[in-house]
């Protein structure tokens, strides 16, 4: 574990040139032990350009609980470095006191107790209030949306993302990039981009596969405060691998590092004083890209849902990580003079929904979008005795609940559930509504399959997914978190090469080792294969919850991690 001093030297070493980073703002807020809207929005305006970043909202219009990860492992050169620091280590690294608002917002320990103290976070009507305050201070601030915006809720599912498009249009971003948006299918995405979206949909790395030419705008130039700002879009590069390629058959993605160099050179030649990459690569991929592509000043990173209260400096490039689900809004002020950045100030603004006054106009718009579905949203399916959460490299309790439902309802030996990062949390004693369920499973390819797999094939699946997560080269980290497994335990050594990480696979109901030659009944969902058959995952889990009435999820000790 690196020291805080070493970390700050590594990440804000340029402060002698650039200026104050805002280091310590969170700890000063913590010392107050009480929050006000003025405290949360307080900012020492700097320079002449303001960037505002939100990302990975995942359809969440209303305030939610969202527990940050307990396990977020880095490998290779990223081992032990932010964002791969959690819990008490994270708190100590950033000088955050236990029990404080930022301890609740940024870490997982004592989450239930702190949630009851500090309440829910997010809500786009609260985000609207923050945006209006920033724009009152800096009217020409650039609002940039990092994608994963139109997907992840009941209303987004029922409206094909239109509810989020309407609300985002009202928030008036200046540009966005994308990932899960494409799981509505290429026709729907193009319909929105061409007919409904009031701001640019950027993706320098998205190409028409047939003609090998850019499919969407690669960048947008803005003039702010007498400076030219280039915003380059970088969509999620692994779309056809992590999501169903048949939904967008004529598009190709990829990191396209050389393409990024060309676009950076193009905007520099066009007079850009500042180059911003609005990215959905994921944090470690963006770190590597920043180390290899010269000329990028700021990367607004997304996809991996990381929230860091300070910038990370890679060479001359600043990385900003703004969390997920509307929990945070990032504000970055830049002093742009003489063709470059001479200073900056930064703040990760936590959106405490009980502290930030909702924007009444935006509340009314959100309520209008939800009104046709209100009865369905509020329907109570059951209750939970356990804290339900998902985020983390391995099984969360939401995932365990889904796996339990798949095993029981589909009469399977083993369940597989994808390692998605999205999905708000529920506190012990909470009702589970249909909205809560869809917040965890809403998607456009929800079929819960039931099939037979050999032990050997199960091992191949686990090894493939583990390599997507723990390959030491970030450019080969192509997925989300580890596939969640029910009914089976295993051991994983993250330091081993592919094919050697997964051992000691065990069928939990018998305690017997998984036999490579034996066939097991496996149920799962979210297969990327076209024409997958089976009931929708929300129907499977709803049936299970209703049958149980109150669900309890025991602590999961079936996965043993070594080498971390």
């Amino acid at each position: 574990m690196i020291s805080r001093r070493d970390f700050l030297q590594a990440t804000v070493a340029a402060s002698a040139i650039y200026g104050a980073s805002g280091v310590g703002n969170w700890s000063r807020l913590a010392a107050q032990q009480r929050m006000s809207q003025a405290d949360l929005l307080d900012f020492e305006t700097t320079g002449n350009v303001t960037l505002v970043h939100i990302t990975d909202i995942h359809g969440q219009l209303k305030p939610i609980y969202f527990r940050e990860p307990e396990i977020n492992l880095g490998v290779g050169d990223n081992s032990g470095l932010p964002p791969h620091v959690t819990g008490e280590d994270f708190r100590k690294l950033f000088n955050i006191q236990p029990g404080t608002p930022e301890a609740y917002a940024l870490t997982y320990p004592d989450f239930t107790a702190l949630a009851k103290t500090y309440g829910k976070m997010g809500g786009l009507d609260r985000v609207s209030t923050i945006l209006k305050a920033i724009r009152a201070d800096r009217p020409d601030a650039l609002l940039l949306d990092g994608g994963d915006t139109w997907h992840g809720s009941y209303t987004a599912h029922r409206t094909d993302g239109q509810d989020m498009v309407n609300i985002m249009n009202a928030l008036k971003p200046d540009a966005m990039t994308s990932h899960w948006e494409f799981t509505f299918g290429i026709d729907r995405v193009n319909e929105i981009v061409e007919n409904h979206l009031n701001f640019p949909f950027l993706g320098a790395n998205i190409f028409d596969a047939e003609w090998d030419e850019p499919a969407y705008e690669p960048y947008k130039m803005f003039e702010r405060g007498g400076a030219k700002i280039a915003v380059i879009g970088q969509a999620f590069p692994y779309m056809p691998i992590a999501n169903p390629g048949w939904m967008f058959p004529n598009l190709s993605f990829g990191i396209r590092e050389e393409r990024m160099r060309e676009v950076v050179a193009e905007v520099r030649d066009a007079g850009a004083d500042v180059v911003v990459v609005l990215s959905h690569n994921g944090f470690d991929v963006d770190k590597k890209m920043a180390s290899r592509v010269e000329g990028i000043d700021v990367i607004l990173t997304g996809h991996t849902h990381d929230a860091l209260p300070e910038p990370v400096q890679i060479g001359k490039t600043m990385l900003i990580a703004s969390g997920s689900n509307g929990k945070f809004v990032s504000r970055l002020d830049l002093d742009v003079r003489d063709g470059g950045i001479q200073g900056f100030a930064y703040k990760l603004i936590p959106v405490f929904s009980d502290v930030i006054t909702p924007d009444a106009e935006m509340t009314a718009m959100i309520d209008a979008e939800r009104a046709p579905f209100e009865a369905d949203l509020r329907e109570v399916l059951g209750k939970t005795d356990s804290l339900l959460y998902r985020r983390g490299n391995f099984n969360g309790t939401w995932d365990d609940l889904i796996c339990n439902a798949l095993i029981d309802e589909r009469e399977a030996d083993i369940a597989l559930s994808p390692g998605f990062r999205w999905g708000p949390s529920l506190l012990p004693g909470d009702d589970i509504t249909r909205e809560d369920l869809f917040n965890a499973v809403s998607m456009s390819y929800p079929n819960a399959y039931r099939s037979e797999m050999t032990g050997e094939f199960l091992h191949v699946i686990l090894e493939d997914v583990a390599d997507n997560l723990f390959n030491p080269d970030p450019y080969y980290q192509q997925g989300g978190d580890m596939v969640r497994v029910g009914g089976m335990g295993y051991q994983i050594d993250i330091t081993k090469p592919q094919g050697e990480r997964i051992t000691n696979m065990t069928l939990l109901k018998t305690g017997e080792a998984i036999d490579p030659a034996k066939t097991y009944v496996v149920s799962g969902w979210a297969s990327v294969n076209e024409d997958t058959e089976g009931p929708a995952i929300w129907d499977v889990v709803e049936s299970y919850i209703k049958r149980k009435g109150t669900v309890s999820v025991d602590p999961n000790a079936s996965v043993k991690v070594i080498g971390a």
Side-chain angles (χ1 to χ4, degrees):
M1 176 56 61
I2 63 170
S3 69
R4 175 177 167 80
R5 180 171 178 269
D6 290 340
F7 170 65
L8 294 180
Q9 286 176 346
T11 59
V12 290
S15 60
I17 300 173
Y18 287 157
S21 71
V23 172
N25 286 344
W26 281 68
S27 57
R28 285 196 294 272
L29 177 62
Q32 299 173 13
Q33 286 296 315
R34 297 181 63 184
M35 293 179 290
S36 70
Q37 181 167 302
D39 292 329
L40 296 179
L41 300 183
D42 181 53
F43 193 92
E44 186 174 342
T45 302
T46 298
N48 52 333
V49 173
T50 294
L51 306 179
V52 183
H53 183 226
I54 53 178
T55 190
D56 295 279
I57 295 172
H58 284 288
Q60 298 306 313
L61 295 171
K62 291 286 189 178
I64 48 89
Y65 296 113
F66 188 84
R67 179 186 185 267
E68 296 298 324
E70 183 173 349
I71 300 176
N72 183 3
L73 302 176
V75 292
D77 293 340
N78 291 308
S79 178
L81 294 176
H84 304 292
V85 185
T86 65
E88 296 304 314
D89 289 335
F90 187 103
R91 188 177 59 75
K92 292 174 182 177
L93 182 63
F94 290 102
N95 194 28
I96 295 172
Q97 297 302 308
T100 54
E102 70 276 22
Y104 164 57
L106 289 165
T107 65
Y108 73 89
D110 302 319
F111 179 81
T112 297
L114 294 177
K116 292 177 180 178
T117 299
Y118 295 115
K120 293 183 177 182
M121 298 192 70
L124 293 192
D125 50 0
R126 277 78 168 177
V127 169
S128 180
T129 296
I130 294 170
L131 294 176
K132 286 185 175 181
I134 294 173
R135 286 164 170 159
D137 181 45
R138 182 63 60 79
D140 61 357
L142 285 174
L143 172 60
L144 301 171
D145 173 15
D148 276 2
T149 306
W150 309 342
H151 151 275
S153 71
Y154 183 83
T155 54
H157 173 72
R158 290 290 301 273
T159 65
D160 289 335
Q162 192 64 49
D163 65 325
M164 293 304 300
V165 172
N166 294 342
I167 296 301
M168 294 307 293
N169 278 341
L171 291 178
K172 299 180 180 179
D174 292 280
M176 73 174 291
T177 192
S178 58
H179 171 197
W180 275 90
E181 284 73 14
F182 280 99
T183 63
F184 286 115
I186 186 62
D187 291 342
R188 176 59 176 155
V189 170
N190 288 341
E191 178 190 2
I192 291 174
V193 171
E194 294 167 9
N195 301 321
H196 300 292
L197 207 62
N198 294 342
F199 48 91
F201 185 86
L202 303 179
N205 62 326
I206 311 176
F207 273 60
D208 182 297
E210 181 178 358
W211 298 99
D212 193 30
E213 61 184 19
Y216 299 93
E217 288 185 83
Y219 65 87
K220 185 74 174 179
M221 294 284 284
F222 301 91
E223 291 200 17
R224 296 291 190 271
K228 287 187 176 181
I229 315 299
V231 177
I232 302 171
Q234 176 80 354
F236 180 57
Y238 305 114
M239 284 298 308
I241 299 171
N243 302 97
W246 54 268
M247 290 184 164
F248 34 89
N250 296 319
L251 294 181
S252 65
F253 293 78
I255 295 169
R256 299 184 186 269
E257 187 181 281
E258 187 56 39
R259 164 70 169 165
M260 181 60 69
R261 288 193 186 92
E262 293 171 355
V263 177
V264 170
E266 180 177 336
V267 298
R268 288 292 187 187
D269 289 344
D273 299 299
V274 176
V275 175
V276 177
V277 174
L278 179 60
S279 173
H280 208 88
N281 276 338
F283 198 92
D284 290 350
V285 176
D286 279 327
K287 279 183 68 177
K288 180 172 180 177
M289 189 171 71
S291 72
R292 293 170 59 89
V293 178
E294 294 184 1
I296 301 172
D297 295 296
V298 178
I299 298 179
L300 303 174
T301 186
H303 176 59
T304 39
H305 291 200
D306 307 301
L308 295 178
E310 298 165 11
V312 170
Q313 194 84 28
I314 305 297
K316 295 181 180 180
T317 305
M318 257 189 293
L319 269 67
I320 302 296
S322 305
S324 67
N325 288 273
K327 280 184 68 176
F328 303 97
V329 174
S330 281
R331 176 175 177 175
L332 176 65
D333 275 20
L334 303 174
D335 180 7
V336 183
R337 289 177 286 115
D338 303 323
I341 299 174
Q342 307 302 321
F344 75 90
Y346 174 70
K347 186 173 185 179
L348 181 69
I349 303 169
V351 187
F352 288 98
S353 64
D354 291 343
V355 179
I356 303 293
T357 302
D359 173 11
E361 183 179 0
M362 181 58 67
T363 301
M365 288 188 64
I366 290 171
D367 289 346
E369 293 291 339
R370 290 166 55 89
F373 313 103
E374 199 64 40
D376 288 338
L377 292 167
R378 292 179 180 273
E379 182 179 347
V380 175
L381 309 178
K383 186 182 288 290
T384 178
D385 276 347
S386 306
L387 171 65
L388 296 182
Y389 63 89
R390 168 174 283 158
R391 180 71 176 98
N393 287 156
F394 301 96
N395 284 44
T397 48
W398 253 124
D399 306 300
D400 290 334
L401 172 59
I402 293 168
C403 286
N404 291 343
L406 286 167
I407 289 172
D408 278 18
E409 297 291 320
R410 302 289 282 156
E411 299 180 343
D413 300 314
I414 295 167
L416 300 178
S417 188
F420 296 143
R421 297 185 180 93
W422 44 271
S425 307
L426 290 179
L427 303 185
D430 280 355
D431 288 334
I432 304 174
T433 65
R434 176 163 284 108
E435 178 171 24
D436 297 324
L437 175 57
F438 269 76
N439 282 345
V441 298
S442 174
M443 63 177 339
S444 56
Y445 46 106
N447 301 82
Y449 61 83
R450 184 180 187 274
S451 63
E452 294 185 347
M453 299 182 187
T454 65
E456 181 181 15
F457 187 63
L458 283 165
H459 184 258
V460 169
I461 290 174
L462 293 183
E463 287 283 0
D464 282 350
V465 178
D467 197 60
N468 284 342
L469 183 59
F470 297 118
N471 191 302
D473 184 342
Y475 280 7
Y476 289 92
Q477 296 172 7
Q478 300 173 346
D481 285 312
M482 190 64 185
V483 61
R484 282 55 164 119
V485 178
M488 185 179 76
Y490 62 91
Q491 178 175 290
I492 178 170
D493 186 341
I494 66 172
T495 66
K496 297 289 187 180
Q498 185 175 8
E500 300 178 17
R501 292 189 179 98
I502 306 296
T503 57
N504 297 335
M505 294 168 58
T506 305
L507 188 65
L508 296 182
K509 66 182 179 181
T510 65
E512 297 175 349
I514 296 292
D515 184 342
K518 187 176 178 179
T519 297
Y520 301 88
V521 177
V522 178
S523 184
W525 64 290
S527 170
V528 299
N529 297 320
E530 193 171 6
D531 299 324
T532 298
E533 295 182 353
I537 185 62
W538 46 77
D539 290 333
V540 174
V541 181
E542 178 176 328
S543 175
Y544 177 80
I545 293 172
K546 285 182 173 179
R547 181 162 54 83
K548 292 289 185 179
T550 298
V551 297
S552 297
V553 182
D554 296 328
N556 189 332
S558 63
V559 178
K560 182 179 179 181
V561 182
I562 59 177

